[in-house]
């Protein structure tokens, strides 16, 4: 990673939990590089992990023939992470609200909620086949590159 203001890496990974771990570690490294504090770095890593789990589990259904892609970029104002799968696609509006009374005790279904809570922007794009999530976290004021 050449400097603290701009850097980019792209990964193409198997649909496995080992890939999810690699994506999470890379997110952590890039969050530190982008100048986020020790309280924010784990939140970014968790949001990115949730996106990668969704890509592997819900998107690709652990299919060994399908890949996930992850890209990480530090820009002057933000950290930008993109996670994509090769699955059937996702309508984020159709995902049940995890805070609704009927969903409170469910053991799953909070990933998108957490992603939106921890990131400043979240965008979904249908890639036919697949879904790409773009997660953006704005860099703290006064950090290099801002």
């Amino acid at each position: 990673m050449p400097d603290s203001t701009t850097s980019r890496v792209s990964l193409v990974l198997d649909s496995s939990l080992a890939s999810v771990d690699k994506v999470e570690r890379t997110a952590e490294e890039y969050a530190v590089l982008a100048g986020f504090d020790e309280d924010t770095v784990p939140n970014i890593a968790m949001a990115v992990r949730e996106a990668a789990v969704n890509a592997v589990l819900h998107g690709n259904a652990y299919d060994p023939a399908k890949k996930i892609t992850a890209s990480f970029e530090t820009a002057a104002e933000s950290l930008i992470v993109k996670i994509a799968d090769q699955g059937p696609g996702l309508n984020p509006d159709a995902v049940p609200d995890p805070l609704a009374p009927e969903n409170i005790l469910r053991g799953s279904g909070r990933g998108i909620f957490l992603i939106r809570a921890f990131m400043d922007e979240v965008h979904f794009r249908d890639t036919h086949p697949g879904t790409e999530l773009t997660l953006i976290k704005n860099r703290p004021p006064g950090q290099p590159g801002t």
Side-chain angles (χ1 to χ4, degrees):
M1 295 179 214
D3 64 49
S4 64
T5 56
T6 58
S7 183
R8 187 177 198 313
V9 68
S10 295
L11 308 170
V12 178
L13 302 163
D14 293 330
S15 296
S16 70
L17 289 180
S19 296
V20 171
D21 292 341
K22 182 168 181 62
V23 168
E24 180 182 25
R25 282 191 310 274
T26 305
E28 217 168 67
E29 292 169 9
Y30 267 75
V32 169
L33 177 73
F36 291 100
D37 63 41
E38 63 186 28
D39 294 327
T40 305
V41 169
N43 293 345
I44 293 169
M46 181 183 293
V48 172
R49 180 178 184 84
E50 289 294 333
V53 165
N54 286 347
V56 167
L57 175 64
H58 300 296
N60 290 352
Y62 292 108
D63 184 340
K66 294 180 179 178
K67 302 291 184 186
I68 66 165
T69 59
S71 69
F72 302 84
E73 180 178 359
T74 58
E77 297 87 25
S78 59
L79 170 64
I80 303 161
V81 180
K82 293 183 180 187
I83 308 286
D85 62 55
Q86 297 176 318
L90 166 73
N91 176 359
D93 298 327
V95 175
D97 178 1
L99 300 180
E102 65 273 15
N103 296 327
I104 290 290
L105 298 177
R106 288 184 63 203
S108 65
R110 292 174 181 77
I112 292 173
F113 176 81
L114 289 172
I115 293 166
R116 286 181 168 147
F118 290 141
M119 302 304 284
D120 293 318
E121 295 179 44
V122 179
H123 305 283
F124 294 82
R125 186 169 69 95
D126 193 342
T127 56
H128 306 286
T131 302
E132 179 185 75
L133 267 74
T134 301
L135 289 66
I136 300 172
K137 187 70 173 175
N138 296 323
R139 291 173 73 150
Q143 293 297 317
T146 58

